[in-house]
C-alpha cells in the first residue's frame, strides 16, 4: 500500500483517502467508489488498524513496551500522508465516533477531514459526530453522489496540512514533529 | 515426343492455375464468412441484450432488487466489468457465517435478543449494500421482533429470510451467467 506521495506525484494532485469499515462488502464498495473519483485508497477493517496506519499508537499499547526509548513506540514514522478519513460508525472495538475523537485530539492528525458512515439514521448520533468535528455524515449504502461531496473537504485538507506544525509534545517528541520533507507547496499546482 | 512434353507442361500450368483459383476462393470465402458471422452475431447479441434487460427489469418489478443494484452497475467499466457479480459473490460468501451464527443463536434458550439484533444489523447492512430488497425487508422485520422480544416472530421471520436469500441467489446466478454471455460476445467479434 503506497501511502507515500513524492514530489513528482503531487503534480497530479492525487488525494489519498483512508477508508475504515469492518464489513468486507462495504469495504469493497467504498474502495470502488473512491477509485472511481481517482482517489488513492487505503482500506482497513478496524479503528485500531486505522490508528496504527496513521502512526497514532494508543498510549496503553505504548506503555506496555518495556523499552523506555520513545522512538520505539512509534510504529509508522514514515511519511504517511492521508488527506481524508472515511469511517463506518458501528464497528467492534473502537467505533467510528471514538476514532473520530482520537483523530481530533491528535495534534498531527486533527486537520485531516473525517467523514462518518452509518446504516442507521439516528439524529443524536449524527449531531454528536458533527459536533465532534466530522465534516459529513453519510447514510449507507454510500452512493457516488455522497463521494462527490468529498472534494471540497479534500481541497481544504491539503491546504491546512501545509501549515508548519512544530509543536513538540513531551510524551511523543518524534511523532509530533513534522520533518521538513512534509512541507511542500502543493497548492501551486491548483 | 515433343507433344508429350507440351502436354505435361500444359497439365502442370493448368494445375497451378486451378490451385491459385482455389486458394483465392478459399480466402474470399473466409473473409465473407467472417463478415457474415460478425453481422449475425451483432444481430443475435442485441436480442440477447434485450432479453437481459427484460430479466433485470423483472427483478426490479418483483421487488427483489432496489436502486442500490443500479448504483453498483454504474460502478462497472471496462477495467471492472464484473464488479456487481464480484460484490454479490462476496456477499453470499461472507453472509454464510452470519446465517450460521443466527441459526445457532436462535436455538439457544433463552434467546439473546441483543446478540440476535447485532448479527441481523450486520446482515441487513450487507444486504442493503447489494440492493437485496426483499431480504432487507425481512431483516428489518426480524430486528423489530428482537426489539419487542418476540422469539417466535424472530424464528418465523428468519425462515422467510432464508427463503428470500436463496431465491435471490438463484435468480442472480442466472442473470450473471446470461450477462457474461452477452458482454464478451460483443467485444470478441470486433474485426481488426
Amino acid at each position: 500500500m503506497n501511502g507515500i506521495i513524492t514530489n513528482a506525484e503531487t503534480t497530479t494532485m492525487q488525494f489519498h483517502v483512508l477508508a475504515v469499515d469492518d464489513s468486507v462488502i462495504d469495504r469493497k464498495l467504498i474502495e470502488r467508489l473512491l477509485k472511481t473519483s481517482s482517489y488513492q485508497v487505503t482500506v482497513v477493517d478496524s479503528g485500531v488498524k486505522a490508528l496504527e496506519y496513521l502512526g497514532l499508537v494508543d498510549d496503553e499499547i505504548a506503555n506496555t513496551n518495556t523499552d523506555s526509548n520513545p522512538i520505539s513506540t512509534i510504529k509508522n514514522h514514515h511519511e504517511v500522508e492521508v488527506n481524508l478519513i472515511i469511517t463506518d460508525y458501528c464497528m467492534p472495538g473502537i467505533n467510528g465516533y471514538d476514532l473520530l475523537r482520537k483523530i481530533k485530539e491528535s495534534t498531527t492528525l486533527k486537520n485531516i477531514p473525517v467523514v462518518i458512515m452509518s446504516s442507521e439514521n439516528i439524529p443524536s448520533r449524527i449531531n454528536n459526530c458533527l459536533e465532534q468535528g466530522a465534516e459529513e455524515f453519510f447514510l449507507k449504502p454510500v452512493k457516488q453522489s455522497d463521494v462527490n461531496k468529498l472534494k471540497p473537504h479534500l481541497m481544504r485538507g491539503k491546504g491546512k496540512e501545509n501549515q508548519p506544525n512544530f509543536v513538540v509534545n513531551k510524551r511523543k517528541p518524534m511523532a509530533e514533529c513534522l520533518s521538513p520533507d512534509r512541507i511542500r507547496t502543493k497548492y501551486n499546482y491548483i | 515426343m515433343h507433344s508429350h512434353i507440351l502436354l505435361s507442361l500444359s497439365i502442370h500450368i493448368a494445375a497451378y492455375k486451378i490451385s491459385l483459383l482455389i486458394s483465392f476462393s478459399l480466402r474470399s470465402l473466409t473473409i465473407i464468412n467472417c463478415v457474415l458471422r460478425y453481422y449475425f452475431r451483432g444481430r443475435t447479441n442485441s436480442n440477447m441484450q434485450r432479453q437481459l434487460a427484460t430479466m433485470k427489469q423483472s427483478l426490479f418489478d418483483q421487488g427483489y432488487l432496489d436502486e442500490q443494484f443500479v448504483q453498483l452497475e454504474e460502478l462497472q467499466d471496462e477495467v471492472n466489468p464484473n464488479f456487481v457479480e464480484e460484490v454479490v459473490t462476496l456477499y453470499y460468501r461472507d453472509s454464510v457465517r452470519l446465517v450460521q451464527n443466527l441459526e445457532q443463536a436462535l436455538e439457544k434458550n433463552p434467546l439473546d435478543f441483543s446478540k440476535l439484533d447485532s448479527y441481523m444489523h450486520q446482515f441487513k447492512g450487507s444486504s442493503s449494500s447489494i440492493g437485496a430488497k426483499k431480504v432487507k425487508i425481512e431483516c428489518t422485520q426480524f430486528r423489530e421482533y428482537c426489539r419487542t422480544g418476540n422469539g417466535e416472530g424472530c424464528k418465523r421471520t428468519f425462515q422467510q429470510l432464508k427463503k428470500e436469500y436463496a431465491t435471490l441467489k438463484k435468480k442472480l446466478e442466472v442473470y450473471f451467467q446470461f450477462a457474461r454471455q452477452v458482454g464478451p460476445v460483443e467485444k470478441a467479434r470486433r474485426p481488426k
Side-chain angles (χ1 to χ4, degrees), chain B:
Chain B
M1 225 199 233
H2 209 56
S3 59
H4 194 66
I5 293 165
L6 274 172
L7 185 63
S8 86
L9 259 175
S10 319
I11 291 167
H12 276 106
I13 290 163
Y16 178 66
K17 283 186 178 168
I18 288 164
S19 73
L20 276 179
L21 195 67
I22 290 169
S23 71
F24 174 75
S25 310
L26 277 172
R27 247 180 281 136
S28 326
L29 276 173
T30 319
I31 291 166
I32 291 166
N33 185 39
C34 273
V35 170
L36 282 173
R37 279 166 78 197
Y38 175 71
Y39 177 72
F40 281 114
R41 290 279 179 189
R43 294 286 289 265
T44 358
N45 194 49
S46 66
N47 279 337
M48 285 170 83
Q49 281 183 342
R50 240 176 289 132
Q51 268 178 278
L52 186 71
T54 308
M55 207 188 280
K56 184 163 65 168
Q57 191 56 49
S58 115
L59 287 170
F60 281 101
D61 291 341
Q62 292 175 59
Y64 286 104
L65 296 173
D66 63 28
E67 165 65 23
Q68 178 60 15
F69 194 82
V70 178
Q71 290 284 321
L72 292 180
E73 288 193 309
E74 283 174 7
L75 292 171
Q76 279 187 159
D77 57 20
E78 313 81 46
V79 182
N80 302 271
N82 304 308
F83 179 70
V84 190
E85 190 178 356
E86 284 166 22
V87 176
V88 171
T89 306
L90 190 61
Y91 165 76
Y92 276 102
R93 213 182 318 139
D94 185 63
S95 51
V96 168
R97 59 171 179 94
L98 279 171
V99 172
Q100 281 170 354
N101 289 342
L102 281 157
E103 236 144 25
Q104 282 167 18
L106 281 168
E107 278 164 22
K108 294 224 156 56
N109 194 7
L111 292 173
D112 182 347
F113 289 108
S114 153
K115 196 183 237 184
L116 285 167
D117 186 67
S118 168
Y119 288 142
M120 193 48 79
H121 168 78
Q122 290 177 58
F123 197 86
K124 184 183 169 186
S126 313
S127 306
S128 165
S129 292
I130 70 154
K133 193 171 178 182
K134 288 196 182 195
V135 177
K136 192 167 94 165
I137 288 166
E138 299 304 326
C139 293
T140 307
Q141 184 62 71
F142 187 96
R143 293 190 77 193
E144 185 52 31
Y145 283 132
C146 284
R147 199 181 64 81
T148 57
N150 185 340
E152 282 314 302
C154 283
K155 289 176 182 171
R156 220 175 31 242
T157 308
F158 188 61
Q159 294 310 311
Q160 187 57 30
L161 187 154
K162 280 193 288 183
K163 275 202 204 109
E164 294 296 350
Y165 174 78
T167 304
L168 179 66
K169 186 176 187 195
K170 279 198 218 95
K171 286 187 184 281
L172 285 176
E173 270 166 12
V174 173
Y175 175 76
F176 288 128
Q177 208 168 39
F178 199 62
R180 258 182 274 130
Q181 284 177 43
V182 175
V185 172
E186 169 106 309
K187 287 175 177 137
R189 296 296 167 208
R190 213 156 270 158
K192 286 172 203 163

Side-chain angles (χ1 to χ4, degrees), chain A residues 7-74:
Chain A
N7 277 324
E9 286 168 38
T10 57
T11 55
T12 59
M13 282 293 283
Q14 201 181 29
F15 295 113
H16 181 203
V17 180
L18 175 67
V20 192
D21 200 315
D22 63 317
S23 157
V24 63
I25 289 119
D26 289 343
R27 279 201 300 278
K28 189 170 171 81
L29 187 55
I30 194 70
E31 184 184 31
R32 183 83 196 100
L33 280 165
L34 292 167
K35 283 192 171 158
T36 304
S37 301
S38 305
Y39 300 139
Q40 192 187 343
V41 189
T42 300
V43 192
V44 294
D45 64 7
S46 72
V48 171
K49 295 222 180 101
L51 290 171
E52 282 175 14
Y53 183 80
L54 293 162
L56 200 69
V57 178
D58 199 354
D59 279 342
E60 279 154 32
I61 302 167
N63 290 335
T64 57
N65 283 344
T66 49
D67 189 342
S68 58
N69 184 346
I71 295 167
S72 70
T73 64
I74 294 116

